[in-house]
Amino acid sequence: MSHHHHGDEHLLGDDAPAVLLLGRPNAGKSSVYNRLTGAHAKVGNFPGVTVDILSADLPLPGSQMHARVLDLPGVYSLDVTLDPGTDEGVARSFLDRVIAEKTRAVLVQVLDASQLAAGLALTRELLARPLPLLVVLTQRDVVLAEGRLLSVEPLVKALGVPVVAINAHDPSSRATLLTAIAALVVEAPPGERPTPSWSADELAHKAITDAAVVTEEALERRDRTAQLDRVLLHPVAGPVLFLGLMIGLFAAVYAVADPVSSVLDVGVQRLGGLATRLLGDGLLGSFVADGLLGGAGTVLAFLPQIVILTAAMELLDASGYLARGAFLIDGALRPFGLGGRAFVPMLTAHACAVPAIAATRIVRDPLERLTVILALPLLACSARIPTYGLVLAAFFGGRPVLQATLFVALYLSGIVASVVVSMVLRRSATRGRRLPLVLEMPAYRSPDPRAIARACWVAGKRFVRDVGTVILACGAVLWVLLHVPSPGAPADPHPTAASAMERSVGASVGRALEPVTRPLGFDWRINVGLLGSFGARELMVGTLGVISGIENADENPESLATRLRTARDSEGRPRYTTRTGVSLLVFFVFACQCMSTLAAIRRETRSWRWVGFVVVYTYALAWVAAFVASRVAGLLGLG
């Protein structure tokens, strides 16, 4: 049974001492939490933040006491400065608050024994906090299966805190954990601890040694790993396989998500039809059918992509392959201030930035992750293709070679721009230190299907709750802009869709923007198209179609292209020239014309500040680039 608490007063309420579970993501924290609490887990919500902190009451053995176990989000480091809204930031601010308010609490760090050095770096940071600490080593079975021994003594000696090694899947481990926690809760809080003088690597080597007798199973396992690594980490075959796998994954996102999305789409359209029948086809009916249900349709269309991508990422990560793929690509991306893990979201962004932004969770370094999120909107997603197609047909018709060249150039310029922006952001953000690429390769493991299913469920739920609400709100606002007549607009005796849009609030906004967009060759009609495309980039075609008096322009882009080419202003001059086409294409490469992407950025960075930053920098970049392109086109004699 899951209760939603609002406010963490409940989480840290009464006199029960708090047991805070901390650890790096994928260290096995959830397994330890589930083992401790059994089915008594309930979800508590941190006030104003949607990261779930799981909490459960736990009777301690040998006493009448209860403790409250809190499962905090995974953290790689407590010392890298980070936006307080991210998962890591939430865990950190929670810990800081517990310390500041002198709450009675103990820390339990869950550490993956098969990646000991990486986890010990976090242990060093936790030792600096004035709270009792227990270190719990998981994945002991993985270490043993590799034919290595895990000894706890060197760790206890060096760390000066209790250390227990468990296999979280073994029910008997619960008693071990409870006894260790109870002992810690009863003890007095720690005084000043000596500053640790050990290095994480040395300590890991001391604690994990090769077994004197290596079992057959361990030898086999080592051989298997070595054989797989010979292929998967091969300097030529490795990257080719990784690329192939990524592109296959990418195709799967499309192949599976598209039919599911179309089914959902039909459902939404049926509902829209029902709404129109019930409410009539006036403004209200249209608002519900197009404004609200249209927005809901957009949200649902992304849902299959998010779930499939989450499943794929979790599989790759848990199996131990993602670390290897990242290692292979790492060298190529290093000069740009990005690591190998950034490659996966950047590739995904060519289908759609929304699942790609969710996929940045696999990037370990918090600062790098933010960099990737901020640079992703520049990569050309598939939704820009209808607009590219329309503009290329309208202004470069009959020149197939030029059209193809421009199309490729548009794609490449998005990639170049995102890499350059990443470099600039990394240079300007030196205040956060880089996390080194940890080169210890995890063991190959068979992923836990339950954990993957849970990750998909959480990702889907979060997406609908956080991104969905923003998309719905934006969709409603856009509908109002494009359909509601501007105050003071003259009455229209013979309304058509085009004349209604011409009198809309959006058209007034478009006209107001003309002084800014005139140097780029855009009039209010194109501005309204750009407004419309904010709902979804492919709407640019539809919106321009309505304004040009052609309904269903998406189905018939050819006639719209002709109409744009032949449009004349009041003095008979062509309204749009080839230069307009060039500048519109360039503008579209850089501008973040997409409310769903912004909603996803808000979801992952938990701050409107970064959303504002993306809007400002992409539109500024788009304006400058379009202005330059338009001038260059003029110099080249393109009319």
Side-chain angles (χ1 to χ4, degrees):
M1 159 109 191
S2 98
H3 303 285
H4 274 277
H5 293 313
H6 288 283
D8 52 347
E9 295 69 39
H10 300 286
L11 293 181
L12 296 172
D14 44 40
D15 302 332
V19 176
L20 308 180
L21 288 187
L22 279 146
R24 288 163 60 95
N26 297 342
K29 208 162 43 64
S30 305
S31 313
V32 170
Y33 176 77
N34 292 338
R35 172 60 61 219
L36 271 174
T37 56
H40 311 302
K42 59 171 187 266
V43 177
N45 260 8
F46 206 67
V49 176
T50 42
V51 173
D52 289 332
I53 290 181
L54 299 170
S55 75
D57 287 332
L58 200 64
L60 292 176
S63 71
Q64 300 300 302
M65 281 175 60
H66 271 68
R68 178 156 299 154
V69 185
L70 300 170
D71 182 9
L72 299 186
V75 276
Y76 289 104
S77 160
L78 293 170
D79 297 346
V80 177
T81 48
L82 236 209
D83 198 307
T86 56
D87 287 16
E88 283 201 77
V90 167
R92 190 164 324 142
S93 55
F94 196 90
L95 185 57
D96 291 346
R97 223 176 117 171
V98 165
I99 293 168
E101 294 174 2
K102 299 197 164 38
T103 309
R104 190 165 167 212
V106 298
L107 301 177
V108 175
Q109 185 197 356
V110 180
L111 226 160
D112 177 349
S114 68
Q115 296 194 310
L116 196 54
L120 283 168
L122 178 62
T123 313
R124 173 181 291 242
E125 297 177 358
L126 290 172
L127 284 170
R129 305 293 191 273
L131 289 173
L133 175 67
L134 165 68
V135 174
V136 176
L137 298 173
T138 61
Q139 310 289 359
R140 185 171 108 197
D141 43 334
V142 175
V143 175
L144 296 176
E146 285 171 356
R148 297 155 84 190
L149 293 177
L150 176 61
S151 54
V152 171
E153 288 73 39
L155 293 177
V156 175
K157 220 157 80 191
L159 303 175
V161 298
V163 180
V164 292
I166 61 159
N167 172 3
H169 301 295
D170 176 0
S172 67
S173 60
R174 182 170 191 263
T176 317
L177 281 169
L178 280 174
T179 313
I181 290 171
L184 203 59
V185 168
V186 173
E187 275 172 26
E192 283 298 303
R193 275 192 277 244
T195 317
S197 57
W198 39 267
S199 96
D201 289 311
E202 284 167 9
L203 196 50
H205 283 303
K206 269 193 196 142
I208 294 190
T209 48
D210 280 318
V213 181
V214 179
T215 62
E216 282 295 309
E217 186 207 354
L219 280 172
E220 269 176 36
R221 187 170 178 146
R222 272 189 203 179
D223 284 349
R224 261 206 317 274
T225 301
Q227 279 168 349
L228 279 168
D229 279 350
R230 262 201 297 281
V231 180
L232 297 178
L233 291 177
H234 186 277
V236 180
V240 171
L241 276 169
F242 183 61
L243 263 171
L245 184 73
M246 286 297 124
I247 290 167
L249 191 151
F250 201 53
V253 169
Y254 267 158
V256 181
D258 275 1
V260 179
S261 296
S262 347
V263 170
L264 291 170
D265 208 28
V266 170
V268 169
Q269 279 174 345
R270 293 241 165 101
L271 278 172
L274 184 69
T276 317
R277 277 206 302 283
L278 288 173
L279 302 167
D281 50 11
L283 277 183
L284 180 64
S286 165
F287 175 68
V288 173
D290 304 333
L292 293 182
L293 286 171
T298 308
V299 178
L300 289 176
F302 286 125
L303 196 57
Q305 295 183 3
I306 300 278
V307 171
I308 293 161
L309 204 74
T310 303
M313 290 303 135
E314 292 286 325
L315 263 170
L316 287 175
D317 210 5
S319 65
Y321 180 60
L322 190 63
R324 290 167 167 80
F327 168 69
L328 289 167
I329 304 283
D330 198 71
L333 291 179
R334 260 308 129 192
F336 308 113
L338 296 170
R341 284 172 173 264
F343 178 73
V344 180
M346 290 179 98
L347 187 70
T348 315
H350 282 101
C352 175
V354 175
I357 290 167
T360 58
R361 294 179 159 248
I362 63 169
V363 177
R364 293 288 163 85
D365 179 339
L367 200 69
E368 183 187 335
R369 177 165 177 235
L370 182 62
T371 306
V372 176
I373 289 174
L374 298 178
L376 282 178
L378 294 170
L379 294 164
C381 68
S382 57
R384 294 182 199 188
I385 293 172
T387 304
Y388 288 169
L390 168 72
V391 177
L392 289 170
F395 300 104
F396 306 95
R399 290 180 272 182
V401 179
L402 180 62
Q403 282 180 321
T405 315
L406 281 169
F407 193 81
V408 173
L410 294 170
Y411 250 81
L412 292 177
S413 52
I415 295 172
V416 172
S418 75
V419 167
V420 171
V421 164
S422 303
M423 283 169 73
V424 172
L425 288 171
R426 284 314 292 248
R427 295 278 142 77
S428 58
T430 41
R431 63 173 199 285
R433 59 186 178 79
R434 302 229 26 190
L435 292 186
L437 178 75
V438 180
L439 287 183
E440 44 186 312
M441 292 293 168
Y444 286 106
R445 296 184 199 149
S446 49
D448 172 5
R450 271 198 320 235
I452 290 174
R454 183 177 165 209
C456 292
W457 168 251
V458 169
K461 192 177 72 177
R462 274 178 159 175
F463 172 75
V464 171
R465 182 181 64 196
D466 301 344
V467 181
T469 45
V470 179
I471 292 181
L472 276 177
C474 287
V477 170
L478 273 172
W479 183 90
V480 169
L481 283 176
L482 298 177
H483 292 81
V484 171
S486 192
D492 189 354
H494 309 292
T496 62
S499 68
M501 201 173 269
E502 207 163 310
R503 295 165 51 248
S504 68
V505 177
S508 315
V509 175
R511 290 189 180 93
L513 288 173
E514 272 190 341
V516 182
T517 61
R518 201 172 288 118
L520 310 180
F522 302 170
D523 62 357
W524 68 269
R525 295 171 183 79
I526 290 183
N527 294 349
V528 174
L530 289 171
L531 270 180
S533 72
F534 188 69
R537 290 194 178 100
E538 52 275 44
L539 287 179
M540 174 87 186
V541 178
T543 314
L544 274 175
V546 172
I547 295 178
S548 307
I550 302 170
E551 288 287 326
N552 301 344
D554 321 18
E555 276 94 71
N556 191 359
E558 207 33 63
S559 61
L560 176 54
T562 320
R563 172 137 338 182
L564 286 176
R565 201 168 36 235
T566 53
R568 293 279 182 269
D569 63 16
S570 53
E571 286 153 31
R573 287 192 304 257
R575 192 183 278 153
Y576 309 118
T577 60
T578 308
R579 277 173 63 176
T580 315
V582 170
S583 102
L584 186 57
L585 284 174
V586 172
F587 188 86
F588 232 74
V589 170
F590 298 110
C592 181
Q593 281 292 117
C594 173
M595 64 176 180
S596 308
T597 301
L598 294 178
I601 292 173
R602 160 80 184 87
R603 155 85 200 87
E604 292 302 320
T605 61
R606 314 233 159 204
S607 108
W608 287 107
R609 196 179 68 212
W610 289 119
V611 174
F613 175 75
V614 167
V615 171
V616 170
Y617 103 78
T618 58
Y619 278 90
L621 194 60
W623 194 94
V624 172
F627 183 77
V628 171
S630 164
R631 292 293 166 273
V632 171
L635 291 174
L636 293 176
L638 294 171

